[in-house]
Amino acid sequence: MTIGFYDMEDIRDCSRESVFKRMEQLVCEMQHPETGVPLRRQKVFLTTIPSAFLAYDLVEWLMDRLNIEETVSVYPLTEAVHLANQLCQHGYFFPVSDSRSLAIKDDGSLYRFQAPYFWPSHHQPDNTDYAIYLLKRSMKNKQKHGLEEYEQEALARLKKLLCHKWDFITLQAEEQVNLSKERKKGDKLILDSQEKSYWRVHRPPPGTPSCLEKTPLASRKVKKKTLEDLRREKALLLKSLNKPRVKPSQIVESLLNHCQEYIEFDSFIVGVLPSNPWISEDPTLWTLNNREVLVPTEQRVKLWAISLEDLLNDPTGIKEFERYLQTEYSHENILFWKAVQSLRRGGKTDIEKKVQAIYNEFLCPNAPCEVNLDSSTIESVQEAMKKPTRYTFDSALLHVYSLMEKDTYPRFLRSEHYRNLLLNSLHPSHKKKFFNFGAGVRKKMVSATGAKRRNNPSHLSGSSVDLTHMSHSLEMEEPSMSSRHSHSTSDLHDLGIPGENLASSRLSSPSSSRDNVPEDNPNTLQVPRLSPGGGDTETSVSVSLTVPCRPTSVVAPWETEG
C-alpha cells in the first residue's frame, strides 16, 4: 500500500523506531548513576538482589523529570504510573519476583532494568529461541517452573514445526539447565524473572494486548496513480464541494420539531385511552383504531391534519378524503393515486395489462377520469411505457401528489366535512367508577355475641343522602323521634311526611346488627329495623340525607344501572 511515493510499511517502521528511540532515551536517563532512579541492593526472602529499584522511586522520578504535576492538571500520579506501565510493557525493565503481571503500582515492588541487548529495537526473537526457553522450563521443577496451558500448546506446535532441528534445541536446553545449577540463588532468581518477563512481552498469553504487535496492514505494492486517476479524483472532490449540505444544528432542530408535532399521538408517552392494551387485556383501543371504521376517534382525525402523507397512510382517511373530493367532482387524482399504489404493491403477473389499463383510464386523451398533467410529464410516461414496469407512472404520481398537497388537501382541512368529522369523532375516556366498595380497610369490632359492628356509620359507602331541610323540620316538630334506615335498601318513599311516627317503617333486606347513632345530631335520620332472626331486638343505622326539599321518591344509587 502506497501513499504518494512512500510505502506504508516503511512509514510504520519509521514511526515505531521513533517511538523506541524516545523511550530508550528516557530509560538511559533513568540508569544514570547520579541523576537517575536510585538503585540499591534489596533482599527478597533472604536473597540479595543487586541493582534493584522500587516502584514508587520510579514514579517519583518520572514526575520530577517530566514535570508531570505542572503539565497535567488532573491526576498527575495516575499519568506517571501509566507512563511507567508503558515502559514495562515494552520490556525496558521487569519485575524481579512476580513476572506474571507487567503492571506497575505505586508501592515497594522490586524491578530491574533489562539489558540493552534485549530491548525491542535491538533484538527480535525467533521460534528457535522460544522453543529452547519452553523446553528448558519443562526440564526444571514443574511445581516452580511448570508451563501454563497456552505454553504447552505452543511447545507442541513448535515441536512439529522445528522437527528437523529438534535435537539441536534439546541439546541447547539441557546445556542451559546444567549451567543454571551452578549459579547462585540470587542470580537464578534474576535470570528466571528476566526470561519470563521477556517472553511475556514478545509472546503474551492469548487475549492479552501486546504493545509490540504490528498493525495488520497489507504489505503488497499498489500501482502508482496515473494522470487519469488523479483527474477522476479531482472531479469527484469538486462535485462533493458543490453538493449542498445540511448543518447538524438544522437536523437536530427539525427532529425536535417533528417530535413536538407527533408527541400528542405517541401512546407510550402520552398514554392511551380508554386503557393501555400493552399493559391490560382490554382490546378496546385496537377496536377503535381498526384500518377502516365508521366513526374514527378524535386523535385519529387530528393526525390527518398534520400532513397529506399521514392522511394517505390511513385507509379511513383515504376513504373520507375521497368522499370529500367526490362532492367537489375532483376525485380523479385520488383514484389515480390508489391505482398506482396498487400497481406498485401488487404482484408481478399482468403488469403490462395493468399499466395499459391505468393509462387508458387516467392519462390518454378523452380518458374517463383524466388527470391534469403537463406535457413533459406525459412525454416521460409515454417513453416509460415502451418497457412497462411497476414504476412507470412514478413521475405522474409525483405531479399528482404535489397537486393534491397544494390544492385539494388544504381545502379538505378547511371544509365543513372535516369539521363534522372532528365534532362527531369518538372521545374515548376511562370508565368512571361511581363506587369503590372495599377500597379501604374498614375497622371492625366483634361484640361479645360474635356479631360484627361498624363504629362509624359514615363509612357506609353509597348510602349517604343528606336531607337537610327534612331533618330540620323533623327536629322542629318532633325532636325525640328516632328514624332508622337500612344500609342495603333504597325504598325511602315509605318514610312519610314530617311529624308522623316512622317506627313502623320496616325495610325488607337483611343486614347485620348496627350501632345506634346518637340522637343529638339534627342532620341524621334514624330508621328502625327488626333483627334478621325475627326477635324483638331492633337495630338502627344513621343516614345523612341532603336535598333542597322533601322528595316524593328517592332511589339508592346502587340499585340503578349506571
Side-chain angles (χ1 to χ4, degrees):
M1 185 175 183
T2 59
I3 299 180
F5 298 101
Y6 297 98
D7 188 11
M8 193 64 188
E9 188 73 21
D10 298 336
I11 294 176
R12 183 178 62 183
D13 293 340
C14 292
S15 62
R16 286 169 61 88
E17 289 177 1
S18 62
V19 171
F20 290 155
K21 184 177 180 179
R22 298 186 64 180
M23 296 178 75
E24 289 168 5
Q25 183 180 358
L26 184 61
V27 173
C28 290
E29 294 182 11
M30 290 180 184
Q31 298 183 25
H32 194 275
E34 296 180 0
T35 60
V37 180
L39 303 178
R40 307 182 186 89
R41 296 174 63 90
Q42 305 289 343
K43 285 189 176 182
V44 179
F45 297 110
L46 303 178
T47 303
T48 303
I49 307 298
S51 302
F53 61 89
L54 302 178
Y56 55 76
D57 289 339
L58 174 64
V59 174
E60 185 178 357
W61 185 89
L62 288 172
M63 295 175 66
D64 295 339
R65 171 65 182 80
L66 303 176
N67 297 325
I68 294 180
E69 293 184 358
E70 299 178 1
T71 57
V72 182
S73 59
V74 181
Y75 307 128
L77 180 61
T78 306
E79 185 70 20
V81 171
H82 174 69
L83 180 57
N85 280 322
Q86 291 295 320
L87 294 173
C88 183
Q89 291 172 5
H90 279 80
Y92 290 104
F93 46 83
F94 60 90
V96 173
S97 57
D98 186 13
S99 59
R100 288 174 176 256
S101 176
L102 299 179
I104 290 182
K105 300 179 181 179
D106 188 23
D107 55 8
S109 303
L110 293 181
Y111 291 85
R112 276 181 59 94
F113 287 104
Q114 184 68 275
Y117 176 78
F118 295 106
W119 285 356
S121 62
H122 298 168
H123 182 266
Q124 294 296 329
D126 55 5
N127 290 332
T128 304
D129 298 335
Y130 192 42
I132 293 173
Y133 165 70
L134 294 177
L135 189 59
K136 182 176 61 174
R137 282 183 56 188
S138 64
M139 295 178 181
K140 293 182 179 180
N141 185 7
K142 294 184 179 180
Q143 185 176 2
K144 186 177 182 181
H145 303 281
L147 298 177
E148 298 183 20
E149 184 177 356
Y150 80 95
E151 293 176 331
Q152 295 176 4
E153 294 176 358
L155 181 60
R157 289 196 303 268
L158 290 173
K159 190 173 181 180
K160 294 180 180 179
L161 182 64
L162 305 174
C163 59
H164 58 283
K165 58 177 181 179
W166 194 252
D167 295 336
F168 170 75
I169 294 173
T170 305
L171 183 62
Q172 290 290 328
E174 291 176 353
E175 185 177 354
Q176 292 185 18
V177 170
N178 294 330
L179 289 176
S180 64
K181 294 179 180 178
E182 300 176 0
R183 293 190 179 95
K184 296 180 181 180
K185 187 175 181 181
D187 297 338
K188 290 181 181 180
L189 180 60
I190 294 174
L191 184 60
D192 291 341
S193 301
Q194 184 180 14
E195 287 184 335
K196 287 183 180 180
S197 300
Y198 176 81
W199 291 110
R200 181 73 64 168
V201 171
H202 292 275
R203 296 290 191 273
T208 304
S210 176
C211 298
L212 304 178
E213 185 179 1
K214 295 184 179 181
T215 56
L217 296 176
S219 60
R220 61 185 179 89
K221 303 296 181 179
V222 180
K223 185 177 66 173
K224 186 180 178 180
K225 291 184 178 180
T226 61
L227 184 61
E228 186 64 27
D229 296 336
L230 294 176
R231 288 176 180 173
R232 193 183 301 111
E233 185 177 356
K234 179 182 176 181
L236 181 63
L237 293 175
L238 290 175
K239 185 178 179 181
S240 63
L241 285 175
N242 298 328
K243 183 178 180 180
R245 287 176 172 81
V246 182
K247 294 181 179 180
S249 58
Q250 296 178 356
I251 297 176
V252 173
E253 185 178 359
S254 63
L255 289 175
L256 290 176
N257 294 335
H258 180 82
C259 293
Q260 291 295 332
E261 196 173 23
Y262 286 92
I263 192 173
E264 181 184 355
F265 310 100
D266 196 325
S267 302
F268 289 97
I269 297 177
V270 181
V272 292
L273 297 175
S275 63
N276 193 339
W278 289 277
I279 300 176
S280 65
E281 297 181 358
D282 187 7
T284 308
L285 181 69
W286 309 130
T287 305
L288 296 177
N289 291 278
N290 282 333
R291 291 181 57 83
E292 294 187 12
V293 293
L294 294 177
V295 182
T297 61
E298 181 185 16
Q299 189 179 31
R300 190 170 181 176
V301 177
K302 287 182 178 179
L303 183 62
W304 299 344
I306 294 181
S307 65
L308 178 61
E309 183 180 0
D310 294 308
L311 175 64
L312 297 180
N313 285 334
D314 191 348
T316 303
I318 297 174
K319 181 180 177 181
E320 297 295 338
F321 187 49
E322 183 180 354
R323 186 179 300 172
Y324 164 74
L325 294 179
Q326 286 176 355
T327 60
E328 293 195 345
Y329 304 100
S330 60
H331 64 287
E332 65 276 356
N333 289 336
I334 190 65
L335 293 178
F336 175 74
W337 183 88
K338 290 170 64 176
V340 175
Q341 293 297 324
S342 176
L343 173 66
R344 295 178 63 176
R345 292 177 172 83
K348 296 182 179 180
T349 58
D350 301 333
I351 288 182
E352 296 183 4
K353 294 181 180 179
K354 292 180 181 178
V355 169
Q356 190 63 40
I358 293 175
Y359 180 80
N360 294 335
E361 186 176 0
F362 297 100
L363 300 180
C364 69
N366 300 323
C369 293
E370 186 177 0
V371 294
N372 186 14
L373 297 179
D374 54 2
S375 59
S376 61
T377 306
I378 294 177
E379 290 177 359
S380 64
V381 170
Q382 290 176 351
E383 184 68 24
M385 286 190 64
K386 295 178 181 179
K387 295 181 180 180
T389 63
R390 62 176 72 246
Y391 306 106
T392 301
F393 301 105
D394 279 4
S395 58
L397 181 65
L398 183 62
H399 185 80
V400 168
Y401 185 88
S402 63
L403 288 178
M404 291 192 299
E405 188 176 20
K406 295 176 182 178
D407 182 27
T408 55
Y409 174 66
R411 286 192 283 112
F412 168 72
L413 298 180
R414 296 191 300 265
S415 65
E416 190 69 24
H417 183 78
Y418 183 74
R419 293 197 200 98
N420 292 334
L421 287 175
L422 277 176
L423 292 176
N424 300 327
S425 60
L426 294 178
H427 303 270
S429 59
H430 291 287
K431 296 179 180 179
K432 296 182 179 180
K433 296 182 179 180
F434 293 96
F435 308 105
N436 192 11
F437 292 105
V441 179
R442 298 166 179 165
K443 297 182 180 179
K444 298 181 179 181
M445 297 183 62
V446 180
S447 61
T449 59
K452 297 181 181 179
R453 298 176 181 270
R454 288 186 178 90
N455 290 333
N456 191 359
S458 64
H459 290 168
L460 299 175
S461 174
S463 62
S464 173
V465 183
D466 192 1
L467 295 176
T468 308
H469 297 280
M470 179 184 289
S471 59
H472 279 297
S473 62
L474 290 174
E475 180 184 9
M476 293 174 59
E477 294 186 11
E478 193 174 349
S480 61
M481 180 187 63
S482 64
S483 59
R484 299 179 178 87
H485 176 255
S486 175
H487 168 57
S488 59
T489 186
S490 62
D491 192 9
L492 298 180
H493 45 271
D494 295 331
L495 292 175
I497 59 175
E500 291 182 358
N501 188 9
L502 301 178
S504 62
S505 176
R506 294 294 182 265
L507 302 176
S508 59
S509 62
S511 63
S512 57
S513 61
R514 297 168 174 81
D515 293 338
N516 292 326
V517 180
E519 297 179 359
D520 54 353
N521 189 357
N523 296 327
T524 59
L525 189 64
Q526 300 291 334
V527 180
R529 191 212 181 294
L530 290 178
S531 62
D536 296 335
T537 305
E538 288 189 357
T539 59
S540 62
V541 66
S542 173
V543 178
S544 179
L545 305 172
T546 304
V547 291
C549 60
R550 183 173 61 87
T552 58
S553 176
V554 180
V555 182
W558 56 84
E559 292 192 357
T560 62
E561 295 182 356

